[in-house]
Amino acid sequence: MENNSMTVWQFFVLTLSFLAGTSFFFLPGGLIAVAKQDAWMVPIWAGAIGILAALLWLRLARQHPGMSIIQICTQVAGKPIGSLLAIMYISYFIQLSVFITRNVGDFMKQTLMPITPLTVFHVMFLIITAYAVMKGIDTIARSSELLFIIMAITFILIFCMALIEWDWNRFQGSFRMNVWETVKETRYIFGFPFLESLVFLMLFPFVQSKVKRSFILAIVVATAMLSVTTLFTIGVLGVPRASHDTYPLFVIAQEVHIGTFFEHLESTVALILLAAIFIKLSIAYYCSVLGLCQLFRISSRFWVTLPLILLISGLALGYDNVVENIEFSQRYDFEYTLLYSVFIPCLLLVVSWIRKGRGKGREGSAS
């Protein structure tokens, strides 16, 4: 179905944008509410767990070169059970697309257009994403290269301009957190965004070379960026304000002003967030479509992509409000993602080793 490929740089940008793009906006406030002045440490150990999970996925991909997770499931577990596992992964990719779609709807409704119905945001954004998916992964990769540069420059400018509000006194009381309680209360960061990157098991076959180095490096850079962003948020807003804002980075952009020329940059930040969400949603949406096409041997993406617009936009209305969405993520996201990111890959890896050992044993007995 897909004969395109990505360069190492494009894959790095895709992975980094997927991990860090939306995390900048949605994670710092919740982390600061739990860990206070020490919240910047939380992404560090979460990133370490993400690297360990990435090594597991890379090992599985190395055992089955040139194959996606859908193809690995059907080959390792056989057609009946493997197809069931493949459907589970496809449902996870679709559910991830639903979460991302709802995030963009909640953000737009809360910050910019409170009267507009959520469905309008969902459908309009999904139509653009569906067009990118039909064009292929190479189009998504090239788009992410351009958008990544724009996002990076904008973030750097906002950070530099907001530094005038920095106050070291806001870090008083640091290094007093209960590590175990903090890990327990912030365990959702393991799932979002680090374990969610299992979707790249669908994209490994498209990378020309150096998959491991590029993937691990992207996780390390994303971890450092998320930690610095959380530190920056504490230094600029302080713990009380940052912990009560749903989108603290958006609040920082609202309050940035240098004279009368640079002020009210929240609209610019909103556009940057939409670009980051577009990249992440495009990857999850593409993996959903690719998985369905591989499992059911569908040659054209068109007939799979369009119906998913209605399915994803409908499922995205499953939450009553943004608070319910955040609570579900904090309570269940880690456990939900753990099944797909750790348990099933470990099972597939063990079965692969057993089958490989049996194959060598048969060859030895035959000789």
Side-chain angles (χ1 to χ4, degrees), residues 146-167:
L146 175 61
L147 294 175
F148 176 78
I149 295 173
I150 298 174
M151 290 188 294
I153 294 174
T154 304
F155 276 128
I156 292 172
L157 289 176
I158 291 175
F159 284 178
C160 292
M161 289 187 288
L163 281 176
I164 59 176
E165 301 294 333
W166 182 278
D167 187 357

Side-chain angles (χ1 to χ4, degrees), residues 293-359:
C293 291
Q294 288 180 345
L295 181 61
F296 298 105
R297 298 181 181 179
I298 302 173
S299 59
S300 175
R301 283 191 297 269
F302 178 82
W303 303 109
V304 180
T305 304
L306 289 185
L308 282 181
I309 295 177
L310 301 178
L311 177 63
I312 293 173
S313 61
L315 292 175
L317 298 175
Y319 301 101
D320 292 334
N321 50 57
V322 65
V323 176
E324 186 176 335
N325 189 4
I326 293 174
E327 287 183 351
F328 178 86
S329 177
Q330 292 179 346
R331 292 181 181 179
Y332 308 112
D333 190 61
F334 170 64
E335 292 81 358
Y336 176 64
T337 309
L338 196 65
L339 172 65
Y340 299 94
S341 60
V342 177
F343 290 157
I344 297 179
C346 282
L347 180 62
L348 293 173
L349 198 56
V350 170
V351 174
S352 299
W353 285 338
I354 293 174
R355 287 194 167 188
K356 188 176 181 179
R358 287 181 178 178

Side-chain angles (χ1 to χ4, degrees), residues 56-67 72 201 204:
L56 171 65
W57 306 331
L58 290 164
R59 180 66 178 177
L60 180 62
R62 188 181 301 175
Q63 290 287 327
H64 306 276
M67 300 179 68
I72 293 173
L201 277 168
F204 285 163

Side-chain angles (χ1 to χ4, degrees), residues 31-65:
L31 297 180
I32 295 170
V34 175
K36 310 302 180 184
Q37 288 85 355
D38 300 321
W40 60 273
M41 303 180 191
V42 178
I44 296 175
W45 63 60
I49 298 299
I51 292 174
L52 293 177
L55 293 174
L56 171 65
W57 306 331
L58 290 164
R59 180 66 178 177
L60 180 62
R62 188 181 301 175
Q63 290 287 327
H64 306 276

Side-chain angles (χ1 to χ4, degrees), residues 103-172:
N103 285 339
V104 69
D106 286 334
F107 175 78
M108 293 296 293
K109 192 171 182 66
Q110 273 197 299
T111 58
L112 297 177
M113 302 178 183
I115 303 178
T116 307
L118 281 172
T119 305
V120 174
F121 301 123
H122 296 169
V123 174
M124 292 180 65
F125 209 75
L126 284 169
I127 289 175
I128 299 172
T129 305
Y131 178 76
V133 169
M134 285 189 286
K135 288 297 182 180
I137 189 62
D138 59 330
T139 300
I140 298 174
R142 288 197 299 268
S143 301
S144 68
E145 286 184 281
L146 175 61
L147 294 175
F148 176 78
I149 295 173
I150 298 174
M151 290 188 294
I153 294 174
T154 304
F155 276 128
I156 292 172
L157 289 176
I158 291 175
F159 284 178
C160 292
M161 289 187 288
L163 281 176
I164 59 176
E165 301 294 333
W166 182 278
D167 187 357
W168 284 107
N169 292 324
R170 296 187 174 116
F171 290 94
Q172 291 183 359

Side-chain angles (χ1 to χ4, degrees), residues 23-299:
S23 306
F24 280 180
F25 292 88
F26 301 125
L27 282 179
L31 297 180
I32 295 170
V34 175
K36 310 302 180 184
Q37 288 85 355
D38 300 321
W40 60 273
M41 303 180 191
V42 178
I44 296 175
W45 63 60
I49 298 299
I51 292 174
L52 293 177
L55 293 174
L56 171 65
W57 306 331
L58 290 164
R59 180 66 178 177
L60 180 62
R62 188 181 301 175
Q63 290 287 327
H64 306 276
M67 300 179 68
S68 69
I69 185 62
I70 302 300
Q71 295 168 327
I72 293 173
C73 287
T74 53
Q75 184 186 62
V76 174
K79 193 170 184 181
I81 299 178
S83 298
L84 176 62
L85 293 176
I87 291 174
M88 291 175 62
Y89 271 106
I90 293 169
S91 67
Y92 175 76
F93 299 150
I94 293 175
Q95 189 63 47
L96 182 58
S97 302
V98 170
F99 287 147
I100 300 169
T101 302
R102 181 56 190 253
N103 285 339
V104 69
D106 286 334
F107 175 78
M108 293 296 293
K109 192 171 182 66
Q110 273 197 299
T111 58
L112 297 177
M113 302 178 183
I115 303 178
T116 307
L118 281 172
T119 305
V120 174
F121 301 123
H122 296 169
V123 174
M124 292 180 65
F125 209 75
L126 284 169
I127 289 175
I128 299 172
T129 305
Y131 178 76
V133 169
M134 285 189 286
K135 288 297 182 180
I137 189 62
D138 59 330
T139 300
I140 298 174
R142 288 197 299 268
S143 301
S144 68
E145 286 184 281
L146 175 61
L147 294 175
F148 176 78
I149 295 173
I150 298 174
M151 290 188 294
I153 294 174
T154 304
F155 276 128
I156 292 172
L157 289 176
I158 291 175
F159 284 178
C160 292
M161 289 187 288
L163 281 176
I164 59 176
E165 301 294 333
W166 182 278
D167 187 357
W168 284 107
N169 292 324
R170 296 187 174 116
F171 290 94
Q172 291 183 359
S174 298
F175 304 104
R176 297 180 182 177
M177 68 173 173
N178 185 317
V179 176
W180 173 247
E181 287 297 325
T182 303
V183 171
K184 182 179 177 181
E185 293 297 323
T186 61
R187 65 187 184 279
Y188 58 88
I189 193 177
F190 295 114
F192 168 61
F194 294 104
L195 295 184
E196 287 180 354
S197 57
L198 70 95
V199 299
F200 287 94
L201 277 168
M202 296 292 297
L203 304 182
F204 285 163
F206 299 133
V207 186
Q208 296 175 357
S209 62
K210 300 179 181 178
V211 177
K212 181 177 180 179
R213 183 184 302 177
S214 178
F215 194 50
I216 297 298
L217 181 61
I219 296 176
V220 171
V221 174
T223 300
M225 292 172 65
L226 184 55
S227 179
V228 170
T229 302
T230 306
L231 184 74
F232 173 80
T233 304
I234 297 171
V236 173
L237 291 182
V239 171
R241 287 195 63 194
S243 59
H244 289 87
D245 288 325
T246 307
Y247 311 106
L249 194 61
F250 187 79
V251 174
I252 291 175
Q254 282 182 315
E255 298 180 357
V256 166
H257 60 87
I258 299 178
T260 58
F261 185 71
F262 287 107
E263 59 182 6
H264 297 292
L265 300 177
E266 62 269 20
S267 298
T268 304
V269 171
L271 293 176
I272 297 304
L273 175 60
L274 292 180
I277 292 179
F278 166 75
I279 296 174
K280 187 167 185 177
L281 180 58
S282 297
I283 295 171
Y285 200 136
Y286 179 82
C287 292
S288 305
V289 173
L290 180 61
L292 286 169
C293 291
Q294 288 180 345
L295 181 61
F296 298 105
R297 298 181 181 179
I298 302 173
S299 59

